[in-house]
Amino acid sequence: MGCKKEEEQINELCLYKLESTLQTNDSLQKELLKMQEEIDLLQEKLEIARQLTEFVE
């Protein structure tokens, strides 16, 4: 019986770690999406700056 209880505790710990890892992954994915949006905006600004530079020349 001791082994069964130990196995259940190990399973609970693994489940907790898995849930924690999934939450971390979700947070990182949201952060990456925000960074990608910022990169897209910066690329648009860079393109506008290039066009303005060409226009001035």
Side-chain angles (χ1 to χ4, degrees):
M1 283 290 192
C3 273
K4 189 77 170 167
K5 180 119 176 123
E6 211 172 272
E7 196 175 302
E8 285 177 18
Q9 287 176 334
I10 291 171
N11 284 344
E12 285 177 21
L13 182 60
C14 288
L15 185 60
Y16 171 78
K17 287 295 287 175
L18 177 62
E19 288 171 350
S20 176
T21 301
L22 288 173
Q23 287 176 351
T24 301
N25 284 351
D26 190 48
S27 295
L28 288 171
Q29 195 169 16
K30 287 176 183 171
E31 205 173 313
L32 279 171
L33 266 173
K34 260 172 69 175
M35 291 171 112
Q36 186 60 54
E37 289 171 0
E38 288 174 15
I39 289 171
D40 290 346
L41 284 173
L42 287 170
Q43 286 176 330
E44 286 178 28
K45 288 180 180 180
L46 187 60
E47 183 55 34
I48 291 170
R50 278 195 194 114
Q51 290 174 2
L52 288 172
T53 303
E54 288 175 9
F55 181 73
V56 171
E57 291 175 352

